[in-house]
Amino acid sequence: ESSITKISSGSAFVSKVSGETELLPTVDALLRRVQMDTGILIRGDLRIDPRGNTVHFFGKLIATLTRKEFLFLYALVRRSPAPVSRAELHDNILHQEGLDILESRALEMLVTRLRRRLGKPLADRIRGSRSFGWMYVPLAESVLPVPKPSAR
């Protein structure tokens, strides 16, 4: 007999503790659901929470962002490690249709402010390409040195 019983709306009730084999996966699933319900996004050592536009790094609050700064970072982290195009960021965050995206410096100014607020370790994880857009590079990739082309 299982010690985990499903109840309405997909929730689970643990009637007795029968060891780690059932309890830990259930708790993990419930924590993931809470993150999805609240919009909290966790990527390794980074946790961003839309309820207060807050950014936590290694469990410590490091910044409370403006709404546009938060939406920009959230879009990058959610899609990480894939890049997010300038056009998508421009339309979804700035809501400025009809302006020439390549001529507008609004996104660059937003990134500059965001990097300043986040500080050195996280700022370095936001990488950009003037012609395409930006991406958030997780910890493992952000500390690796960029290989230099060899002269042949």
Side-chain angles (χ1 to χ4, degrees), residues 38-50:
T38 59
I40 294 172
L41 190 56
I42 299 174
R43 292 289 187 271
D45 50 12
L46 178 70
R47 177 178 178 258
I48 55 179
D49 187 346

Side-chain angles (χ1 to χ4, degrees), residues 1-6 13-19 21-22:
E1 176 182 336
S2 176
S3 61
I4 300 172
T5 308
K6 294 268 186 192
F13 174 78
V14 181
S15 59
K16 63 182 177 182
V17 177
S18 63
T21 58
E22 288 185 47

Side-chain angles (χ1 to χ4, degrees), residues 44-58:
D45 50 12
L46 178 70
R47 177 178 178 258
I48 55 179
D49 187 346
R51 295 174 296 180
N53 295 341
T54 56
V55 179
H56 297 259
F57 188 52
F58 286 107

Side-chain angles (χ1 to χ4, degrees), residues 49-88:
D49 187 346
R51 295 174 296 180
N53 295 341
T54 56
V55 179
H56 297 259
F57 188 52
F58 286 107
K60 182 181 175 188
L61 175 66
I62 60 160
T64 300
L65 305 175
T66 67
R67 189 68 184 150
K68 288 181 181 181
E69 291 167 344
F70 183 84
L71 290 172
F72 184 91
L73 181 62
Y74 197 89
L76 296 186
V77 174
R78 187 181 70 234
R79 185 93 50 90
S80 175
V84 182
S85 73
R86 291 178 58 79
E88 182 179 344

